[in-house]
Amino acid sequence: MIDFELSQEQQQWQRKAREFTEKEIKPLSWKIDKGLTQEYHWPLIGKMAEQGLLSMGIPEEYGGSGLDILTMSIVVEELAVGDGGIAFTATGNSLVPLMIAGTEDQKKEFLALTCNKKRPGLAAFALTEPHAGSDAGAVSTTARHEGHEYVLNGEKCFISNGDLARLYTVFATVDKTKGIRGITAFLVPDDVKGLSRGKLEDKMGFHSSHTGVVVLSDVRIPEENRLGQEGEGFKIAMKVLEVLRVVSCGAVGVGIARAAYEAALRFLTTYSNVRAVAGQQAISFDLADMLASIEASRLMVWKSSWMMDNNLSAGTMSSLTKFYASDMALEVANKGMQLVGHYAYREDYPLEKYVRDAKLLQIYEGTNQISRMVASRGILSG
Ligand code: COS
């Protein structure tokens, strides 16, 4: 039986996220985008933590909010209506490896980072390298086993929360000759000797999400910080990306698209001279197309989330959702700009920001070419 009525709990979380967006995110989003405030992060992150929005997917027994993936997707859409980068930060994406592969002791020690409402922390998913992006299996950061420690050396780039994280999940190879079977995941706290954070990226959009370089020079960590077994890192990364492609990308795309659609609709219905033009099919049909694709993408996000919550194999569906919802977000934002016209091209109007933010969704969490590749392999392998 299919039922689209949200549970009481889901409705409460949706309402809470909507209120948080109106009160806390919308007033800041424009300023952050334009670089008018630099030090916004910790106060806002603190407020997200207080509301349980930073630890949504972490079970209550570890101090988190204990939301399933579907409820997280509903919340993330609402936050992304206010700001895509902030919504992305709230997904706590970087703790997913720990949730998937962590031991009980590791979870107890490290999940507490973001669940600490007084002193919240962020984490980072450090997979990408200058020469290992789409080809994630080409990771060349090394992990040398010495006694009861590993010694890590290498450079990670385009790392979200790169300069803010208190914990990094670093993917490194213990034996390059083994290819992907040498890749291993490690939990690396930010205060270890030899870890340094390089410059932040100066990006086209998504300014509220910090992206940077992380360098590891003879970083020594205890064996207990290895996540999973040696050689399991690549599969852990792929499983993590399956979740992120839906929650941190698909749901963010639906939120950004909704914001663009709502901005265009508001403009077209507010002024009487514009209202007369809005009735023309050349305009109103675009509105119908925009809403149809937002609704379709949301259904894909919800279905993928539901599949993962029910432990169904969701690799293909997650990749379909990723490229469809992110292509949709950019198209809807662009259409919104076109409908509003020259006003939308101005920097004091939000639509140009939505276009810049939506563009990143086609690139991060695996480019849309990679998502199409993963989905098509899934289709052909039955
Ligand atoms: N869950 C579990 N295992 C998975 C998996 C998943 N979702 N996806 C792949 N694997 C396993 C495969 O089963 C295979 O294992 P076996 O060799 O034991 O059969 C192994 O991982 C290798 O998979 P595959 O053959 O598909 O690897 P490829 O090198 O051909 O392709 C791609 C890997 C390109 C899909 C991968 O490198 C990728 O996703 N790249 C993009 C990286 C990315 O998204 N980066 C963004 C970083 S965060 S912004």
Side-chain angles (χ1 to χ4, degrees), residues 1 98 128 143 173 178 218 222 301 327 355 370:
M1 184 75 174
L98 187 52
T128 303
T173 177
K178 289 189 175 160
D218 284 332
V301 169
D327 285 349
V355 171
I370 290 292

Side-chain angles (χ1 to χ4, degrees), residues 88 93 125-129 132-138 157-160 180-181 232 234-245 314-316 318-319 322 363-367 370-371 373-374 377:
F88 172 73
N93 64 344
F125 179 66
L127 173 66
T128 303
E129 297 179 359
S134 285
D135 185 9
C157 63
F158 304 130
I159 304 304
S160 302
I180 59 166
R181 286 181 176 72
E232 283 183 358
F234 188 80
K235 288 191 184 181
I236 294 172
M238 292 301 111
K239 279 191 208 151
V240 170
L241 285 165
E242 215 169 286
V243 181
L244 304 190
R245 285 172 183 157
T316 303
S318 150
S319 290
K322 197 276 175 188
I363 297 170
Y364 77 17
E365 311 297 20
T367 63
I370 290 292
S371 285
M373 191 182 95
V374 174
R377 281 181 183 178

Side-chain angles (χ1 to χ4, degrees), residues 52-320:
L53 291 167
L54 212 59
S55 53
M56 287 187 277
I58 298 172
E60 285 167 311
E61 68 215 73
Y62 302 107
S65 301
L67 303 194
D68 59 13
I69 296 177
L70 176 55
T71 311
M72 274 178 73
S73 294
I74 291 166
V75 170
V76 169
E77 176 187 329
E78 294 304 325
L79 300 177
V81 171
D83 190 283
I86 293 172
F88 172 73
T89 302
T91 59
N93 64 344
S94 327
L95 287 171
V96 180
L98 187 52
M99 293 290 302
I100 287 179
T103 62
E104 201 49 36
D105 285 346
Q106 288 172 333
K107 286 181 185 170
K108 275 195 189 127
E109 181 174 353
F110 294 111
L111 287 177
L113 263 178
T114 44
C115 300
N116 184 336
K117 294 198 164 67
K118 296 265 178 291
R119 190 175 179 273
L122 293 174
F125 179 66
L127 173 66
T128 303
E129 297 179 359
H131 300 288
S134 285
D135 185 9
V139 156
S140 66
T141 294
T142 54
R144 201 175 63 246
H145 206 167
E146 269 187 25
H148 293 298
E149 289 180 326
Y150 284 93
V151 186
L152 272 53
N153 279 287
E155 180 179 331
K156 298 289 178 180
C157 63
F158 304 130
I159 304 304
S160 302
N161 299 335
D163 64 328
L164 298 169
R166 295 204 177 121
L167 178 71
Y168 297 84
T169 304
V170 173
F171 293 84
T173 177
V174 290
D175 183 350
K176 189 81 179 148
T177 63
K178 289 189 175 160
I180 59 166
R181 286 181 176 72
I183 297 176
T184 308
F186 298 94
L187 297 164
V188 182
D190 69 325
D191 55 1
V192 290
K193 199 164 156 243
L195 185 145
S196 56
R197 313 181 252 207
K199 84 167 191 41
L200 287 183
E201 299 294 334
D202 200 1
K203 306 196 297 292
M204 165 181 165
F206 241 64
H207 293 154
S208 52
S209 166
H210 286 200
T211 314
V213 168
V214 179
V215 180
L216 303 122
S217 304
D218 284 332
V219 167
R220 287 183 174 272
I221 50 156
E223 267 174 347
E224 301 82 69
N225 284 27
R226 192 188 63 223
L227 196 57
Q229 297 303 313
E230 282 193 1
E232 283 183 358
F234 188 80
K235 288 191 184 181
I236 294 172
M238 292 301 111
K239 279 191 208 151
V240 170
L241 285 165
E242 215 169 286
V243 181
L244 304 190
R245 285 172 183 157
V246 176
V247 184
S248 309
C249 188
V252 173
V254 175
I256 293 176
R258 221 180 88 199
Y261 166 80
E262 286 169 5
L265 184 63
R266 210 163 35 244
F267 179 85
L268 291 167
T269 52
T270 300
Y271 309 100
S272 54
N273 59 331
V274 181
R275 258 207 314 267
V277 182
Q280 307 278 340
Q281 288 182 358
I283 306 284
S284 59
F285 279 19
D286 267 350
L287 283 174
D289 285 342
M290 288 159 80
L291 186 57
S293 55
I294 292 169
E295 293 280 344
S297 298
R298 182 184 297 115
L299 288 182
M300 292 178 83
V301 169
W302 285 14
K303 181 175 174 185
S304 315
S305 303
W306 173 86
M307 287 173 79
M308 290 189 280
D309 282 333
N310 286 281
N311 296 320
L312 300 170
S313 163
T316 303
M317 193 61 208
S318 150
S319 290
L320 292 173

